[in-house]
Amino acid sequence: MHTFCLSLYYSVAKAAYSSSNLEKAQKALQKVIDESKCLDEKLDALNLLVTVLVERDAQEQAFNTSLEVLVQLGETIPDSFEKRDARAMIKKSCKLLGQITEERLSSMKEADKKTEYILMFYSHIADVSYFAKPAMAAYFCCKMMQLSTERGISKYSLLSFVMFAAVLCNNKVVKNIDAGCRLGQMAIKVYFDRYGSSSDQKTKLSFQYYALVAYYSEPFQRCHDMLKEGVEAGMCCGDIRYSFLNGLNQIRLGLMSGRNLEE
């Protein structure tokens, strides 16, 4: 009965989130968290709670929630991370990634369940750190890639490869467009080969790759069309934030490519 009640509240939360009733979703998720007897019972609820907090513009609360979960999962997070540390870690990661081929990436083992949850919350914290603690963003992204090479990959870790590619393409200090495009193309191909196009991470992946990386190496028209798919994927899974980001950049690339505004 206990497990059934938790699953019922979680279903209510998902339904409320999908219909943009974020307040109701958060209350239902908090009920699951409060009534759970162990961490494993509430990990899915905590995952959705972080997403809801981001949607409600509670970036710092989302950051702290992700941080607390990662610590409970056995991860050690530094209190601070300076820009010079970020540059050093990025350079180290670039050397590591230079040795990774598409064949090696696609043949990596699948992460176990605990590692997948760790990567899931690192994905959240990397996302919100751009707003809550920008200096930490590079650390979380590099940490995800390190874990993936050591313990196996998941849909979340492949997203981190694309996020790192975006850093290489757009960060003035470590800018390396050729390396960023190579990594992004490799990661997105392995992602769709391995997990298909119906994954709940598709909308995030579409934004990170087609809005921040692909337009350096692929036609604007293709990027525009793929961002449109990202909008639809976000609407299907209830991710309004990334659906909006995809739509915004779809318009931007549509203008840059000379698309008919009536479309």
Side-chain angles (χ1 to χ4, degrees):
M1 180 61 73
H2 170 74
T3 303
F4 174 74
C5 290
L6 292 182
S7 64
L8 194 60
Y9 274 111
Y10 183 62
S11 297
V12 169
K14 288 198 295 183
Y17 173 71
S18 297
S19 59
S20 297
N21 191 337
L22 300 180
E23 183 177 357
K24 184 176 181 179
Q26 186 170 344
K27 287 180 179 179
L29 290 169
Q30 195 60 54
K31 189 71 174 176
V32 175
I33 294 165
D34 291 342
E35 296 296 329
S36 294
K37 296 177 180 178
C38 62
L39 180 61
D40 288 349
E41 284 187 346
K42 56 186 176 182
L43 282 171
D44 288 328
L46 286 163
N47 170 46
L48 184 54
L49 176 63
V50 173
T51 303
V52 170
L53 291 171
V54 172
E55 294 280 355
R56 302 192 74 181
D57 203 27
Q59 303 284 350
E60 189 155 352
Q61 190 177 351
F63 180 94
N64 290 332
T65 301
S66 299
L67 184 62
E68 289 171 8
V69 175
L70 285 168
V71 170
Q72 290 181 65
L73 288 168
E75 292 298 296
T76 302
I77 313 294
D79 294 329
S80 61
F81 200 69
E82 303 296 333
K83 287 184 179 180
R84 64 177 179 273
D85 299 323
R87 286 194 293 268
M89 195 169 191
I90 288 172
K91 288 180 180 178
K92 183 178 179 180
S93 296
C94 285
K95 289 182 180 180
L96 173 67
L97 293 170
Q99 303 170 5
I100 294 180
T101 62
E102 182 182 320
E103 291 74 21
R104 183 182 171 191
L105 187 61
S106 62
S107 64
M108 285 183 180
K109 67 178 182 180
E110 192 74 13
D112 59 39
K113 195 64 177 177
K114 180 180 178 181
T115 301
E116 185 175 6
Y117 274 118
I118 291 172
L119 290 166
M120 176 195 293
F121 284 97
Y122 267 125
S123 174
H124 280 310
I125 205 168
D127 188 11
V128 299
S129 63
Y130 284 106
F131 305 97
K133 292 191 177 183
M136 296 289 290
Y139 170 82
F140 294 125
C141 191
C142 292
K143 183 66 174 178
M144 287 179 72
M145 292 188 294
Q146 179 188 338
L147 279 172
S148 299
T149 56
E150 292 174 355
R151 304 188 199 175
I153 61 173
S154 74
K155 56 187 177 181
Y156 304 104
S157 52
L158 286 170
L159 178 61
S160 75
F161 283 98
V162 179
M163 291 170 70
F164 189 74
V167 170
L168 293 178
C169 287
N170 298 287
N171 187 292
K172 293 180 180 179
V173 178
V174 296
K175 199 162 193 173
N176 188 334
I177 293 174
D178 289 341
C181 289
R182 171 188 168 275
L183 177 61
Q185 288 170 352
M186 181 171 62
I188 201 163
K189 184 176 186 306
V190 172
Y191 183 97
F192 285 117
D193 286 347
R194 197 152 183 164
Y195 301 107
S197 59
S198 60
S199 167
D200 60 351
Q201 298 300 299
K202 180 181 178 180
T203 185
K204 292 183 180 180
L205 196 77
S206 294
F207 168 71
Q208 292 287 346
Y209 182 66
Y210 290 104
L212 303 177
V213 178
Y215 71 93
Y216 284 107
S217 60
E218 298 192 29
F220 287 164
Q221 292 87 345
R222 171 168 170 75
C223 295
H224 170 276
D225 293 343
M226 295 307 293
L227 285 164
K228 182 179 180 181
E229 288 191 17
V231 173
E232 295 168 353
M235 296 300 289
C236 286
C237 69
D239 194 334
I240 307 302
R241 177 170 173 252
Y242 269 95
S243 185
F244 172 77
L245 290 172
N246 276 280
L248 193 65
N249 284 277
Q250 177 196 351
I251 294 169
R252 174 176 68 88
L253 289 173
L255 291 171
M256 292 170 69
S257 62
R259 297 292 289 253
N260 188 335
L261 294 180
E262 292 183 356
E263 296 179 8

